[in-house]
Amino acid sequence: MCPQKNKNEVVILSWNVNGIRANYKKGFFDWFQESQPDILCLQEVRATEDQIPKKLYSPEGYYAYWNSAERPGYSGTALLSKEKPINVTFGLGIAEFDNEGRTIIAEYNDFFLIGCYFPNGGQENKRVPYKLEFYRGFIDKCEELRRIKTIIFCGDVNTSHKEIDLANPKSNMKNTGFLPEERAWIDEIIEKGYVDTFRYFNPEKTEQYTWWSALTKARERNKGWRLDYFFVNIEDIERIKESFILADVMGSDHCPVGIRLKIKN
């Protein structure tokens, strides 16, 4: 369930659903109706618009935006919002990234929200160069929009930042998701003035993960990785009232993460 919110606050959630059609069959819509987030960003939708269940494609009380990949059954993102955004843009404006349906940028009155499914480094780390190029393009877009208003970005970043963020750091030093060059990008965005909201509120909290390998039944043992984040530019960190992980929500190998955001008058 979403946390209680105060007046002039909104709850924003982000979830890598690991295939919306499969998740839907596991109770996604019931969870969504019960939770009633003000905004929900989805990653790894893995469906074209005509494949999305009708009740979810345009749910009552929400404006829905779906950004599918050109490749069938791959990647894809979505945004479901109670308030209609001023403007919604798909992609970063870079063709080699945008054909995978990884990014949705929604402009609201007092902030930009970017929901993103960042690339995985792939088997034998073969796609790490592509991932790092995507990271660079993404931060350029954030810096461009930051000059206008508050920037919030969320999604499956596909990298754990520090050793505290995964159960077995030593054995994963050479694996994508915890490579030095991947982790250095998170260092860079923090140096540029973006705040990892969960760590801001929970700097020392351990065993806080958002992804668990289904192959090894790692969730049962809570041997996971924190791959899903909410970041905000540091000038507006006081607007974030809470940042949380909903580890008890099932249906995917990831769980939802979220924030409570104060809306400016």
Side-chain angles (χ1 to χ4, degrees):
M1 288 293 295
C2 292
Q4 295 295 314
K5 63 181 181 181
N6 299 318
K7 187 178 179 181
N8 296 326
E9 291 180 353
V10 294
V11 171
I12 308 175
L13 300 183
S14 172
W15 193 7
N16 179 322
V17 291
N18 192 23
I20 192 60
R21 289 171 289 176
N23 202 317
Y24 187 83
K25 293 176 182 177
K26 298 174 184 176
F28 174 88
F29 196 73
D30 291 339
W31 168 83
F32 175 61
Q33 288 190 309
E34 183 179 5
S35 299
Q36 287 286 308
D38 295 289
I39 307 172
L40 174 61
C41 297
L42 302 178
Q43 302 91 46
E44 207 171 354
V45 170
R46 301 209 313 251
T48 55
E49 292 189 21
D50 62 311
Q51 295 174 321
I52 297 162
K54 290 181 180 179
K55 284 199 301 183
L56 186 57
Y57 179 72
S58 185
E60 184 177 355
Y62 284 83
Y63 297 91
Y65 305 87
W66 300 88
N67 185 16
S68 301
E70 291 180 5
R71 175 179 160 187
Y74 178 72
S75 188
T77 47
L79 174 81
L80 307 176
S81 178
K82 288 183 177 179
E83 178 184 342
K84 187 176 183 180
I86 296 170
N87 186 49
V88 174
T89 304
F90 292 164
L92 300 175
I94 304 171
E96 66 177 304
F97 303 142
D98 294 348
N99 63 15
E100 295 191 351
R102 293 187 175 276
T103 311
I104 297 180
I105 303 172
E107 181 181 1
Y108 293 88
N109 287 331
D110 61 344
F111 64 94
F112 284 102
L113 175 64
I114 309 174
C116 188
Y117 176 42
F118 294 78
N120 186 291
Q123 292 184 350
E124 299 179 353
N125 301 341
K126 290 181 179 178
R127 231 180 173 217
V128 169
Y130 176 90
K131 180 179 182 178
L132 296 178
E133 284 296 321
F134 186 97
Y135 275 168
R136 282 188 276 273
F138 183 86
I139 202 166
D140 287 346
K141 176 58 70 173
C142 287
E143 291 292 87
E144 173 191 329
L145 296 176
R146 186 181 185 178
R147 294 193 289 267
I148 303 171
K149 61 180 74 171
T150 300
I151 294 291
I152 299 164
F153 73 84
C154 64
D156 177 4
V157 175
N158 254 317
T159 296
S160 288
H161 185 208
K162 301 288 188 180
E163 290 191 9
I164 194 176
D165 295 314
L166 70 166
N168 298 305
K170 301 301 182 186
S171 61
N172 283 293
M173 292 288 187
K174 295 183 180 180
N175 294 330
T176 185
F178 202 57
L179 295 173
E181 57 268 41
E182 295 170 329
R183 297 165 63 196
W185 179 78
I186 300 182
D187 290 333
E188 180 183 352
I189 59 174
I190 290 172
E191 289 169 4
K192 284 184 177 292
Y194 297 88
V195 179
D196 173 356
T197 60
F198 183 79
R199 279 292 168 228
Y200 178 82
F201 288 100
N202 306 278
E204 306 295 334
K205 198 169 185 179
T206 61
E207 299 183 342
Q208 300 298 299
Y209 310 126
T210 66
W211 176 81
W212 303 261
S213 171
L215 293 175
T216 61
K217 298 183 178 180
R219 196 164 191 168
E220 297 174 10
R221 297 173 286 115
N222 196 29
K223 300 297 183 182
W225 301 51
R226 189 169 71 96
L227 300 178
D228 304 83
Y229 298 76
F230 268 89
F231 280 88
V232 64
N233 55 283
I234 196 167
E235 300 91 345
D236 291 288
I237 184 59
E238 75 282 352
R239 295 184 62 188
I240 309 299
K241 300 306 177 184
E242 184 181 2
S243 184
F244 52 88
I245 295 172
L246 299 176
D248 60 339
V249 177
M250 302 296 174
S252 170
D253 52 357
H254 291 251
C255 73
V257 298
I259 58 171
R260 279 194 299 120
L261 171 73
K262 184 176 181 181
I263 298 299
K264 294 179 179 178
N265 294 326

